[in-house]
Amino acid sequence: MKPDNSNINIILNVKICWLFVELMKIYGVAMRKEIIFFIMLLHVALIVSAYSQSESDTLLGQAIPDYYTHSGFLMASPGVYNEGLLGFTNPANSSFLNAFDSRFHWTTEGTKAGTFDDWGLFLGAPNIGFGVLHNNYGDLKITDYRLSLGFGGDMYASGIGYSWSTSNNDNANREKSWSSGMIFRPMKCLSLGLTGQWSIESGERQGIAEIGIRPLGNPRITLFGDMAMQKKTKFSDALWSAGAVFEIVPGINLSGRYFENESFTTGLTIDFGKNAISSQLHFDNDQKHSYTSYSIRGGGYRRSVFPELVDKNRRYLKMNMKGRIGYLNYRFFDRGKIRLIEILQNIKAAADDPRIAAIALNLSSMRVAPEHGWEIREALREAKFKGKTVVIFIDRISLTGYHLASVADKIVLDPQGLIEITGYTLGKTYLKGTLAKLGLGFDEWRFFKYKSAAEILSRDSMSDADREQYQDYTDDLYETARDDIVQSRSMTTDMFDLLVDEKAIFLPRTALESDLVDTLARWSDIGKIINEMTSKKLRSIRSDELLANALPPENWGAVPEVAVVYGLGECAMDSGIRARWLERVFLGLADAGSIKAVVFRVDSPGGDALASDLVAEALKKCAAKKPVIISQGQVAGSGGYWISMYGDKILAGPTTITGSIGVIGGWIYDIEFSEKLGMTSDHVKRGKHADLGFGVRIPILNIRVPARNLDDEERAMIEVFFKEMYGEFVGKVAEGRNLTEERVREIGEGHFYSGLDGKDNGLIDEIGGLQMAIEIARKQAGIESDQEITIREIPRYKGMFKSPDLMPFAKTEVDDEPVYRYIKMLNEARGGALPMLPPGTYPSAD
């Protein structure tokens, strides 16, 4: 007998799977094809070794059961249809599962209907599977168990499995074994699979190869074939099967399978969405019916015509909007934020789901920025256009929240609720007097009319220029909400202005009489209200049950990806947008083959020019190779506009703050501060200006207070530096937006604009939100509107968990305070120019 090399093969195969996962992490999509080819070659080598090394004959109770007698429940090759047996046959199958799934199969005793012979129970969830298969061989009964793990994505998956068995005859137990599998789907019409099984206790081996072909590139017709080899089998003597699966309509499939010994099977599967039944007739090599197998399935959704027929317009989606609506949260222990992209995608999924008749939103305790609220409102408006009824519940709400709620077909106010529509106010807190009391001076380096970020430290009230731009923006903010509300609620602008100016606060009865709401009720009554509106008894559904969220990909192969990259917070190298990291992201995406387009979501007030330009140049290189669409959130001004300007298109909401092309700076210095605190400093220097910025350092806050202000020579140098940087900023905007430098200077000078005004002066291209940006990116990438896509968010999470939530005694909010962050950035800039908006002066979540 040949030496037992099974353990060597097992270790090698496990390392292959590990290597695949690690390389995908390190090199990403850019190396994907090379990795797949390498893994395939190694798998082929292992399977070939399996064909050549086995020696013993196959009998009942054999060390490793042969493939065809052990997978009789399969209607087709495991890698091409219905996830096989959830990893029991090919362990790579579990990688393609997107939800828990279960199958129970059984066979009849011969052709006797209603009898029960062999059976199998198979359970699967994403990346893991477990199966039990019980076979009766007369007096001998063997039960096989297999645990499998799958790894990979839409195009390539690999997996490993471990098997053991029990029987009523200890001498007939199968040997414990490892298995390895892979499935490769390089395109919509082709699937390749390999599976190998190695005994831990002897030299037994088995290998299976399979192929699937979809001539139409979809599940309508699937042709397949497979081959299994055990022992020193000649290729010409190998066992094989071939057949086809026909999708009559989604959810109803006919199958046929022919074996090399001239036996064959025919099968029918009827899938109802979350559940399915199937039956398969088995004919022997004399073409006589020998037995029948049946199965029932329950678990994840599958494509089916039945939910659309039976459940059409019988469901409604409930969405709880409690919390702050933002972009990212922590992976664990973070329930306080609702993600904007998930809200938009769920509303779109509900609008496209034929089962959904209505969408109900609970806005209680919602905190949302005006621009984000507008995007959600637009998504709901699109859902109404597609025939969905929208019902929104409110209890205590201000104008921003009411603007969102006004899109509803019916607004429901809690009987103890309150509506407060006092209008909008924007302002700042000025610290000039505070600095004076602390013994600190501030020198504002302002050379551009509207660049007002330093006013909070240099003044005690708004400058005329700052008041002008803030009033213009506040008017647009108010009028956007008012125009949408009066259109939805069928009132005039004069009526709305009167409600705001003369009443402002509305108790439930007054709100009902003023036609601001349609009925008074509690959220617990929302189902009853929807049933009355639709004259149907609708059942609620969770967002993860919507078809777009629940169905697995329809087609084989890699699904085209659109990357949504977030640039959030101040423009800084290692905080906020994290410019060093973001540069690497864009350069990587430029060469990522699976990423067909990029959407860059910017919500940033600006900050460091170096950080801004680092990201802008990387984005420019990415845009040279694939579509890059910019989606501006609540604020994308100054440095936030700098990182936006090289996109193919820039989209913004009507109330986005955009523009603010200019730079600002300033100098906080010590007058009596150190003396009041009893602090002193001393130094030596070489260089005329070397002591500029030196002074006492404040403990804990880690901020140094310069001992002196700039002299006239130094300030003249700063002015030249700032104006040169402004000229560079202007030139880059002119290049990115295809404008003349003269035009950019006309709309520059640090002036910020609403999205509406930004569109009029050429700073942005269209009024639209994140969802529209994704659709434009899809179109510019040449992806058909009915083609499935995957959204890859970068980053997906802020981090693993928010430590202060786990250690409340250590919680501090100083680092999140906008004014503190601004002062610290000024201090760290050491005289540098900052393309930045004033801190904390733009609209935030209510």
Side-chain angles (χ1 to χ4, degrees):
M1 178 173 288
K2 294 182 180 180
D4 181 8
N5 295 319
S6 60
N7 289 332
I8 296 174
N9 285 324
I10 292 164
I11 294 170
L12 180 57
N13 208 46
V14 171
K15 286 187 175 181
I16 288 171
C17 295
W18 172 85
L19 179 64
F20 169 76
V21 175
E22 292 303 312
L23 287 175
M24 288 298 286
K25 287 180 182 177
I26 296 170
Y27 296 106
V29 180
M31 288 288 291
R32 188 169 183 172
K33 293 180 180 178
E34 291 82 354
I35 295 168
I36 290 169
F37 185 66
F38 175 66
I39 300 291
M40 284 182 64
L41 288 178
L42 287 177
H43 268 287
V44 170
L46 287 168
I47 301 304
V48 169
S49 72
Y51 295 157
S52 63
Q53 293 183 25
S54 182
E55 293 182 344
S56 56
D57 294 331
T58 60
L59 301 169
L60 295 179
Q62 65 223 53
I64 295 179
D66 74 81
Y67 165 65
Y68 290 108
T69 60
H70 205 235
S71 57
F73 295 130
L74 287 173
M75 291 184 171
S77 303
V80 304
Y81 178 62
N82 212 18
E83 292 87 36
L85 296 178
L86 307 181
F88 189 85
T89 306
N90 187 334
N93 273 125
S94 62
S95 178
F96 296 107
L97 293 173
N98 68 336
F100 173 79
D101 211 65
S102 62
R103 317 274 174 85
F104 184 73
H105 297 253
W106 72 97
T107 65
T108 61
E109 294 181 4
T111 59
K112 299 177 184 178
T115 59
F116 193 86
D117 193 14
D118 297 339
W119 59 268
L121 174 64
F122 307 98
L123 307 175
N127 306 111
I128 188 168
F130 177 73
V132 181
L133 178 61
H134 179 83
N135 291 112
N136 293 309
Y137 303 102
D139 293 334
L140 178 64
K141 303 180 186 303
I142 300 179
T143 305
D144 292 291
Y145 305 86
R146 182 169 295 170
L147 178 66
S148 62
L149 297 174
F151 315 92
D154 298 325
M155 188 163 67
Y156 174 83
S158 62
I160 56 174
Y162 175 72
S163 304
W164 70 98
S165 69
T166 61
S167 78
N168 61 349
N169 183 343
D170 291 341
N171 295 325
N173 283 343
R174 308 192 203 279
E175 296 176 354
K176 297 181 178 68
S177 65
W178 289 95
S179 59
S180 171
M182 59 80 66
I183 298 173
F184 180 44
R185 296 171 175 173
M187 57 190 74
K188 292 192 294 184
C189 61
L190 180 64
S191 175
L192 303 171
L194 290 173
T195 308
Q197 191 172 0
W198 295 267
S199 169
I200 296 175
E201 303 172 32
S202 70
E204 288 291 319
R205 309 281 196 276
Q206 179 172 225
I208 302 102
E210 57 176 294
I211 184 172
I213 297 173
R214 288 179 171 176
L216 304 179
N218 59 46
R220 298 295 184 195
I221 302 174
T222 302
L223 309 177
F224 64 88
D226 50 35
M227 177 180 293
M229 298 180 71
Q230 194 178 49
K231 309 182 300 182
K232 289 184 176 180
T233 309
K234 293 182 180 180
F235 186 81
S236 59
D237 296 331
L239 305 179
W240 58 267
S241 76
V245 179
F246 299 93
E247 183 185 72
I248 308 305
V249 295
I252 299 180
N253 295 293
L254 292 176
S255 65
R257 192 178 188 186
Y258 180 83
F259 299 86
E260 100 291 337
N261 65 354
E262 299 185 353
S263 62
F264 66 93
T265 65
T266 60
L268 170 67
T269 300
I270 302 177
D271 204 311
F272 301 100
K274 293 187 70 174
N275 304 287
I277 57 174
S278 69
S279 173
Q280 187 172 202
L281 301 177
H282 298 255
F283 297 85
D284 60 24
N285 54 7
D286 292 325
Q287 289 76 53
K288 293 182 180 179
H289 179 205
S290 56
Y291 68 94
T292 304
S293 62
Y294 301 94
S295 76
I296 55 175
R297 183 190 72 82
Y301 277 93
R302 295 293 181 271
R303 293 177 64 250
S304 175
V305 70
F306 293 104
E308 299 181 18
L309 296 177
V310 177
D311 233 8
K312 186 174 184 179
N313 292 328
R314 294 287 181 179
R315 299 294 194 100
Y316 73 95
L317 174 66
K318 293 175 72 172
M319 299 179 65
N320 194 327
M321 308 285 280
K322 179 182 178 181
R324 183 176 182 272
I325 295 173
Y327 296 107
L328 302 174
N329 49 23
Y330 293 92
R331 187 158 194 168
F332 304 109
F333 312 111
D334 187 5
R335 300 181 179 179
K337 185 180 292 184
I338 310 169
R339 303 181 63 244
L340 176 64
I341 193 170
E342 290 180 355
I343 296 171
L344 299 176
Q345 288 178 329
N346 287 336
I347 293 173
K348 183 179 186 300
D352 294 334
D353 195 322
R355 301 170 301 164
I356 301 299
I359 302 172
L361 273 68
N362 181 357
L363 305 192
S364 178
S365 299
M366 176 191 70
R367 297 174 58 208
V368 63
E371 195 280 333
H372 299 171
W374 175 83
E375 288 195 52
I376 298 169
R377 192 183 194 279
E378 286 296 292
L380 291 169
R381 190 172 66 84
E382 181 66 21
K384 288 179 62 178
F385 179 77
K386 294 182 178 181
K388 310 301 179 183
T389 298
V390 175
V391 180
I392 294 182
F393 170 83
I394 57 177
D395 48 20
R396 297 186 181 96
I397 207 158
S398 64
L399 182 53
T400 295
Y402 185 76
H403 177 212
L404 167 55
S406 67
V407 74
D409 296 289
K410 186 178 285 277
I411 302 177
V412 181
L413 175 63
D414 190 276
Q416 293 299 314
L418 180 73
I419 297 178
E420 183 181 354
I421 49 173
T422 56
Y424 287 109
T425 183
L426 295 178
K428 312 174 188 177
T429 298
Y430 295 86
L431 304 178
K432 178 181 179 181
T434 305
L435 295 180
K437 288 182 180 293
L438 292 173
L440 295 170
F442 180 72
D443 186 11
E444 180 184 21
W445 303 336
R446 180 174 179 174
F447 307 104
F448 310 104
K449 180 178 179 181
Y450 295 98
K451 200 64 183 174
S452 61
E455 283 192 5
I456 63 170
L457 302 177
S458 65
R459 299 177 57 90
D460 53 20
S461 63
M462 285 184 178
S463 65
D464 291 342
D466 204 28
R467 187 176 300 278
E468 174 193 335
Q469 64 180 348
Y470 270 94
Q471 189 62 60
D472 287 345
Y473 175 79
T474 304
D475 290 344
D476 283 349
L477 183 63
Y478 176 85
E479 290 167 12
T480 295
R482 182 189 64 184
D483 293 349
D484 286 341
I485 290 169
V486 299
Q487 182 178 18
S488 296
R489 300 301 297 176
S490 299
M491 61 175 71
T492 66
T493 56
D494 289 342
M495 290 171 58
F496 181 80
D497 289 340
L498 186 66
L499 292 176
V500 171
D501 295 335
E502 301 298 328
K503 295 185 178 180
I505 299 175
F506 298 84
L507 293 172
R509 186 57 54 188
T510 309
L512 192 62
E513 293 170 354
S514 301
D515 200 31
L516 291 175
V517 300
D518 300 293
T519 190
L520 306 179
R522 292 266 152 85
W523 174 246
S524 56
D525 298 321
I526 206 72
K528 181 180 178 182
I529 292 171
I530 290 175
N531 290 341
E532 291 174 352
M533 290 179 65
T534 60
S535 300
K536 297 177 183 177
K537 187 173 179 59
L538 305 184
R539 292 179 294 157
S540 65
I541 192 172
R542 301 189 313 272
S543 60
D544 62 346
E545 295 179 295
L546 295 168
L547 294 179
N549 297 336
L551 288 175
E554 177 182 0
N555 297 317
W556 290 342
V559 176
E561 291 183 286
V562 173
V564 174
V565 182
Y566 294 107
L568 310 176
E570 76 275 9
C571 292
M573 298 297 287
D574 300 302
S575 62
I577 66 170
R578 296 189 293 155
R580 294 184 217 273
W581 167 80
L582 207 49
E583 179 195 29
R584 295 195 301 270
V585 167
F586 281 119
L587 295 179
L589 290 174
D591 297 322
S594 66
I595 301 295
K596 306 305 180 184
V598 177
V599 172
F600 186 28
R601 177 68 172 200
V602 178
D603 222 321
S604 170
D608 182 6
L610 172 60
S612 302
D613 196 57
L614 192 67
V615 172
E617 290 298 322
L619 184 145
K620 184 179 181 181
K621 293 176 182 177
C622 186
K625 295 185 176 182
K626 60 190 59 178
V628 176
I629 308 301
I630 308 299
S631 171
Q632 297 184 338
Q634 183 59 66
V635 56
S638 204
Y641 189 80
W642 194 320
I643 63 178
S644 304
M645 59 194 179
Y646 290 133
D648 296 307
K649 277 185 178 293
I650 300 179
L651 277 66
T655 60
T656 295
I657 289 179
T658 190
S660 191
I661 301 165
V663 293
I664 190 72
W667 192 255
I668 297 176
Y669 59 94
D670 189 349
I671 299 177
E672 297 177 339
F673 177 77
S674 58
E675 182 180 346
K676 289 182 178 184
L677 294 183
M679 302 173 69
T680 61
S681 65
D682 201 357
H683 66 278
V684 296
K685 72 173 185 175
R686 180 169 178 174
K688 182 178 179 180
H689 308 287
D691 65 326
L692 188 62
F694 182 81
V696 298
R697 184 179 294 278
I698 305 173
I700 302 175
L701 297 180
N702 196 30
I703 292 178
R704 185 182 294 279
V705 181
R708 67 175 180 86
N709 194 7
L710 278 66
D711 60 30
D712 292 342
E713 179 185 2
E714 290 165 338
R715 204 175 194 284
M717 293 165 59
I718 286 292
E719 182 172 355
V720 171
F721 168 59
F722 272 45
K723 290 182 177 179
E724 285 181 356
M725 179 166 286
Y726 176 64
E728 183 180 350
F729 195 173
V730 167
K732 288 177 179 288
V733 173
E735 177 192 357
R737 297 300 300 159
N738 196 26
L739 299 170
T740 64
E741 290 195 14
E742 290 74 19
R743 176 56 180 159
V744 175
R745 290 181 183 276
E746 287 177 14
I747 59 178
E749 290 285 327
H751 198 307
F752 70 78
Y753 301 91
S754 68
L756 294 171
D757 289 340
K759 185 175 186 301
D760 290 340
N761 60 34
L763 289 174
I764 71 165
D765 297 293
E766 293 190 40
I767 298 297
L770 182 57
Q771 202 67 45
M772 180 185 286
I774 292 171
E775 292 304 314
I776 292 175
R778 171 207 283 267
K779 184 176 180 180
Q780 291 202 358
I783 303 173
E784 298 295 332
S785 59
D786 59 349
Q787 167 72 52
E788 297 170 293
I789 64 169
T790 297
I791 303 299
R792 185 197 295 186
E793 295 180 77
I794 305 174
R796 174 58 181 84
Y797 299 102
K798 281 185 177 181
M800 294 302 291
F801 56 84
K802 189 176 182 180
S803 55
D805 287 345
L806 302 179
M807 300 178 291
F809 57 84
K811 188 171 184 179
T812 174
E813 296 182 357
V814 173
D815 286 340
D816 294 329
E817 168 55 45
V819 174
Y820 169 77
R821 293 174 70 90
Y822 174 64
I823 292 174
K824 189 172 182 180
M825 182 169 282
L826 273 177
N827 183 264
E828 292 173 349
R830 294 180 59 82
L834 297 176
M836 190 171 187
L837 285 164
T841 56
Y842 37 86
S844 59
D846 286 346

